[in-house]
Structures are given as structure tokens and as C-alpha cells.
Coordinates of all heavy atoms in Angstrom, one line a residue:
N1 N 48.1 -3.9 -28.8 CA 47.9 -5.3 -28.6 C 48.8 -6.2 -29.5 O 49.3 -7.2 -29.0 CB 46.4 -5.6 -28.9 CG 45.5 -5.1 -27.8 OD1 45.9 -5.0 -26.7 ND2 44.3 -4.8 -28.2
L2 N 49.1 -5.7 -30.7 CA 50.1 -6.4 -31.5 C 51.5 -6.4 -30.8 O 52.2 -7.4 -30.8 CB 50.2 -5.8 -32.9 CG 49.0 -6.1 -33.8 CD1 49.1 -5.2 -35.0 CD2 49.1 -7.6 -34.3
I3 N 51.8 -5.2 -30.3 CA 53.1 -5.0 -29.6 C 53.2 -5.9 -28.4 O 54.3 -6.5 -28.1 CB 53.4 -3.6 -29.3 CG1 53.5 -2.8 -30.6 CG2 54.5 -3.4 -28.4 CD1 53.3 -1.3 -30.4
K4 N 52.1 -6.0 -27.6 CA 52.1 -6.9 -26.5 C 52.2 -8.4 -26.9 O 52.9 -9.2 -26.3 CB 50.8 -6.7 -25.7 CG 50.7 -5.3 -24.9 CD 49.3 -5.0 -24.4 CE 48.8 -6.1 -23.5 NZ 47.5 -5.7 -23.0
K5 N 51.5 -8.7 -28.0 CA 51.5 -10.1 -28.4 C 52.9 -10.6 -28.8 O 53.3 -11.7 -28.6 CB 50.5 -10.2 -29.6 CG 50.3 -11.6 -30.2 CD 49.3 -11.6 -31.3 CE 49.1 -13.0 -31.9 NZ 48.1 -13.0 -33.0
I6 N 53.6 -9.7 -29.5 CA 55.0 -10.1 -30.0 C 55.9 -10.2 -28.8 O 57.0 -10.9 -28.9 CB 55.5 -9.1 -31.1 CG1 56.6 -9.8 -31.9 CG2 56.0 -7.8 -30.5 CD1 57.0 -9.0 -33.1
G7 N 55.7 -9.5 -27.7 CA 56.5 -9.6 -26.6 C 57.6 -8.5 -26.5 O 58.6 -8.7 -25.8
A8 N 57.4 -7.4 -27.2 CA 58.4 -6.3 -27.1 C 58.5 -5.7 -25.7 O 57.6 -5.7 -24.9 CB 58.0 -5.2 -28.1
T9 N 59.7 -5.3 -25.4 CA 60.0 -4.6 -24.1 C 60.1 -3.1 -24.4 O 60.1 -2.3 -23.4 CB 61.2 -5.1 -23.4 OG1 62.4 -5.0 -24.2 CG2 61.1 -6.6 -23.0
A10 N 60.4 -2.7 -25.6 CA 60.7 -1.3 -25.9 C 60.1 -0.9 -27.3 O 59.8 -1.8 -28.1 CB 62.2 -1.1 -26.0
L11 N 59.9 0.4 -27.5 CA 59.4 0.9 -28.7 C 60.2 2.1 -29.1 O 60.6 2.9 -28.3 CB 58.0 1.3 -28.6 CG 56.9 0.3 -28.6 CD1 55.5 0.9 -28.4 CD2 56.9 -0.6 -29.8
R12 N 60.4 2.3 -30.4 CA 61.0 3.5 -31.0 C 59.8 4.1 -31.7 O 59.3 3.6 -32.7 CB 62.2 3.3 -31.9 CG 62.7 4.6 -32.4 CD 63.9 4.4 -33.4 NE 64.2 5.6 -34.0 CZ 64.7 5.7 -35.3 NH1 64.9 4.6 -36.0 NH2 65.0 6.9 -35.8
L13 N 59.3 5.3 -31.3 CA 58.2 5.9 -31.9 C 58.7 6.9 -33.0 O 59.3 7.9 -32.7 CB 57.3 6.7 -30.9 CG 56.8 5.8 -29.8 CD1 55.9 6.6 -28.8 CD2 56.0 4.6 -30.4
T14 N 58.6 6.5 -34.2 CA 59.2 7.1 -35.3 C 58.2 7.9 -36.2 O 57.1 7.4 -36.3 CB 60.0 6.1 -36.2 OG1 59.1 5.0 -36.5 CG2 61.2 5.5 -35.5
H15 N 58.7 8.9 -36.9 CA 59.9 9.7 -36.7 C 59.4 11.1 -36.3 O 59.9 12.1 -36.7 CB 60.6 9.9 -38.1 CG 61.3 8.6 -38.6 ND1 62.3 8.0 -37.9 CD2 61.1 7.9 -39.7 CE1 62.7 7.0 -38.5 NE2 62.0 6.9 -39.7
Y16 N 58.5 11.0 -35.3 CA 57.8 12.3 -34.9 C 57.1 12.0 -33.6 O 56.8 10.8 -33.2 CB 56.8 12.8 -35.9 CG 56.1 11.6 -36.5 CD1 55.0 11.0 -35.9 CD2 56.4 11.1 -37.8 CE1 54.4 9.9 -36.4 CE2 55.8 10.0 -38.4 CZ 54.7 9.4 -37.7 OH 54.1 8.4 -38.2
P17 N 56.8 13.0 -32.8 CA 55.9 12.8 -31.6 C 54.6 12.1 -32.0 O 54.0 12.5 -33.0 CB 55.7 14.2 -31.0 CG 56.9 14.9 -31.5 CD 57.2 14.4 -32.9
Q18 N 54.1 11.2 -31.2 CA 52.9 10.5 -31.6 C 51.8 10.9 -30.6 O 51.9 11.7 -29.8 CB 53.2 9.0 -31.6 CG 54.3 8.7 -32.6 CD 54.4 7.3 -33.1 OE1 53.6 6.4 -32.8 NE2 55.4 7.0 -34.0
G19 N 50.6 10.3 -30.8 CA 49.4 10.7 -30.2 C 49.4 10.6 -28.7 O 50.0 9.6 -28.1
K20 N 48.7 11.4 -28.0 CA 48.7 11.5 -26.5 C 48.3 10.1 -25.9 O 48.9 9.6 -25.0 CB 47.8 12.6 -26.1 CG 47.6 12.7 -24.6 CD 46.6 13.9 -24.3 CE 46.4 14.0 -22.8 NZ 45.4 15.1 -22.5
Y21 N 47.3 9.5 -26.5 CA 46.7 8.3 -25.9 C 47.7 7.1 -26.1 O 47.8 6.3 -25.2 CB 45.4 7.9 -26.7 CG 44.8 6.6 -26.3 CD1 44.4 6.4 -24.9 CD2 44.6 5.6 -27.2 CE1 43.8 5.2 -24.6 CE2 44.0 4.4 -26.8 CZ 43.6 4.2 -25.5 OH 43.0 3.0 -25.2
F22 N 48.5 7.2 -27.1 CA 49.5 6.1 -27.3 C 50.6 6.1 -26.2 O 51.0 5.0 -25.8 CB 50.1 6.1 -28.7 CG 50.7 4.8 -29.1 CD1 49.9 3.7 -29.5 CD2 52.1 4.6 -29.0 CE1 50.4 2.5 -29.8 CE2 52.6 3.3 -29.4 CZ 51.8 2.3 -29.8
Y23 N 51.0 7.3 -25.8 CA 52.0 7.3 -24.8 C 51.4 6.8 -23.5 O 52.1 6.1 -22.7 CB 52.4 8.8 -24.5 CG 53.3 9.3 -25.6 CD1 52.9 10.3 -26.5 CD2 54.7 8.9 -25.8 CE1 53.7 10.8 -27.5 CE2 55.5 9.4 -26.8 CZ 55.0 10.4 -27.6 OH 55.8 10.9 -28.6
E24 N 50.1 7.1 -23.2 CA 49.5 6.5 -22.0 C 49.4 5.0 -22.1 O 49.6 4.3 -21.1 CB 48.0 7.1 -21.9 CG 48.0 8.6 -21.7 CD 46.6 9.2 -21.8 OE1 45.7 8.4 -22.1 OE2 46.4 10.4 -21.6
L25 N 49.2 4.4 -23.3 CA 49.2 3.0 -23.4 C 50.6 2.4 -23.1 O 50.7 1.3 -22.6 CB 48.7 2.6 -24.8 CG 47.3 2.8 -25.2 CD1 47.0 2.5 -26.6 CD2 46.3 2.0 -24.3
C26 N 51.6 3.1 -23.6 CA 53.0 2.6 -23.3 C 53.2 2.6 -21.8 O 53.8 1.7 -21.3 CB 54.0 3.5 -24.0 SG 53.9 3.4 -25.8
D27 N 52.8 3.7 -21.1 CA 52.9 3.7 -19.6 C 52.3 2.5 -19.0 O 52.8 1.8 -18.2 CB 52.3 4.9 -19.0 CG 53.0 6.2 -19.4 OD1 54.2 6.1 -19.8 OD2 52.4 7.3 -19.3
R28 N 51.0 2.3 -19.4 CA 50.2 1.2 -18.7 C 50.6 -0.2 -19.1 O 50.3 -1.1 -18.3 CB 48.7 1.4 -19.1 CG 48.2 2.8 -18.6 CD 46.8 3.1 -19.3 NE 46.5 4.5 -18.9 CZ 45.5 5.2 -19.5 NH1 44.8 4.6 -20.5 NH2 45.2 6.4 -19.2
N29 N 51.4 -0.3 -20.2 CA 51.8 -1.7 -20.6 C 53.3 -1.9 -20.3 O 53.9 -2.9 -20.7 CB 51.5 -1.9 -22.0 CG 50.0 -2.1 -22.2 OD1 49.5 -3.2 -22.0 ND2 49.3 -1.1 -22.7
G30 N 54.0 -0.9 -19.7 CA 55.3 -1.1 -19.2 C 56.4 -1.1 -20.3 O 57.4 -1.8 -20.2
L31 N 56.2 -0.4 -21.4 CA 57.1 -0.4 -22.5 C 58.1 0.8 -22.3 O 57.8 1.8 -21.8 CB 56.4 -0.2 -23.8 CG 55.5 -1.3 -24.2 CD1 54.5 -0.9 -25.3 CD2 56.3 -2.5 -24.7
I32 N 59.4 0.5 -22.6 CA 60.4 1.5 -22.6 C 60.4 2.2 -23.9 O 60.5 1.6 -25.0 CB 61.8 0.9 -22.3 CG1 61.8 0.1 -21.0 CG2 62.9 2.0 -22.3 CD1 61.5 0.9 -19.8
V33 N 60.3 3.6 -23.9 CA 60.0 4.3 -25.1 C 61.2 5.3 -25.5 O 61.7 6.0 -24.6 CB 58.7 5.1 -25.0 CG1 58.5 6.1 -26.2 CG2 57.5 4.1 -24.9
W34 N 61.5 5.3 -26.8 CA 62.4 6.3 -27.4 C 61.4 7.1 -28.3 O 60.7 6.5 -29.2 CB 63.4 5.6 -28.2 CG 64.2 6.3 -29.3 CD1 63.9 7.5 -29.9 CD2 65.3 5.9 -30.0 NE1 64.7 7.9 -30.8 CE2 65.7 6.9 -31.0 CE3 66.1 4.7 -29.9 CZ2 66.8 6.7 -31.8 CZ3 67.2 4.6 -30.8 CH2 67.5 5.6 -31.7
T35 N 61.3 8.4 -28.1 CA 60.4 9.2 -28.9 C 61.3 10.4 -29.4 O 62.2 10.8 -28.7 CB 59.2 9.7 -28.1 OG1 58.3 10.4 -29.0 CG2 59.6 10.5 -26.9
E36 N 60.9 10.9 -30.6 CA 61.9 11.8 -31.3 C 61.1 12.9 -32.0 O 59.9 12.8 -32.3 CB 62.7 11.0 -32.2 CG 62.0 10.3 -33.3 CD 62.8 9.2 -34.0 OE1 63.7 8.5 -33.3 OE2 62.7 9.0 -35.2
I37 N 61.9 13.9 -32.4 CA 61.4 15.0 -33.2 C 61.6 14.7 -34.7 O 62.4 13.8 -35.0 CB 62.0 16.4 -32.8 CG1 63.5 16.3 -33.1 CG2 61.8 16.7 -31.4 CD1 64.2 17.7 -33.0
P38 N 60.8 15.3 -35.6 CA 60.9 15.0 -37.0 C 62.0 15.6 -37.7 O 61.9 16.1 -38.8 CB 59.5 15.4 -37.5 CG 59.1 16.5 -36.7 CD 59.6 16.2 -35.3
L39 N 63.2 15.7 -37.1 CA 64.4 16.1 -37.8 C 65.0 14.9 -38.6 O 65.8 14.2 -38.1 CB 65.4 16.7 -36.8 CG 66.7 17.3 -37.3 CD1 66.4 18.4 -38.4 CD2 67.6 17.9 -36.2
V40 N 64.4 14.7 -39.7 CA 64.6 13.5 -40.5 C 65.4 13.8 -41.8 O 65.0 14.6 -42.6 CB 63.3 12.8 -40.9 CG1 63.5 11.5 -41.6 CG2 62.5 12.6 -39.6
G41 N 66.5 13.1 -42.0 CA 67.3 13.2 -43.2 C 66.8 12.3 -44.3 O 65.9 11.5 -44.1
P42 N 67.4 12.5 -45.5 CA 66.9 11.7 -46.6 C 67.5 10.3 -46.6 O 67.1 9.5 -47.5 CB 67.4 12.5 -47.8 CG 68.7 13.2 -47.3 CD 68.4 13.5 -45.8
G43 N 68.4 10.0 -45.7 CA 69.0 8.6 -45.8 C 69.7 8.4 -47.1 O 70.5 9.1 -47.6
G44 N 69.2 7.3 -47.8 CA 69.8 7.0 -49.1 C 69.2 7.7 -50.2 O 69.4 7.4 -51.4
Y45 N 68.3 8.7 -49.9 CA 67.6 9.4 -51.0 C 68.2 10.8 -51.1 O 69.2 11.2 -50.5 CB 66.1 9.5 -50.7 CG 65.5 8.2 -50.6 CD1 65.3 7.5 -49.4 CD2 65.1 7.5 -51.8 CE1 64.7 6.3 -49.3 CE2 64.5 6.2 -51.7 CZ 64.3 5.6 -50.5 OH 63.8 4.4 -50.4

């Protein structure tokens, strides 16, 4: 609902696969999704 309120058209689901229900919500609300595996580097650490 926060994502709909702000008016986003897309989401990046970071930094791991997220819950089953949330993907269903993305489908039903028309969001374009980038979803990823947790192959995460340390960045600046």
C-alpha cells in the first residue's frame, strides 16, 4: 500500500527472493519486478 501510494511502477526486491504472497501482490498491482539471488558482495565493507 505504501508502494502504491508513492506511485512506483517498478520494484527491486533486494537482496534475496522474497515471500510468495508479495510476488502475488506485485502481479495484482501491476508492478514491474527485478528479483535476485543473495549473491551479495561487501560493497564498501
Side-chain angles (χ1 to χ4, degrees):
N1 286 332
L2 286 166
I3 292 160
K4 290 167 60 178
K5 183 178 179 180
I6 202 173
T9 60
L11 287 178
R12 180 181 172 215
L13 301 183
T14 49
H15 290 299
Y16 39 77
Q18 303 200 1
K20 179 180 179 183
Y21 177 59
F22 199 78
Y23 289 109
E24 294 170 359
L25 291 176
C26 292
D27 292 342
R28 295 166 191 168
N29 288 282
L31 295 162
I32 303 297
V33 170
W34 161 349
T35 186
E36 60 197 36
I37 63 173
L39 184 52
V40 183
Y45 300 97

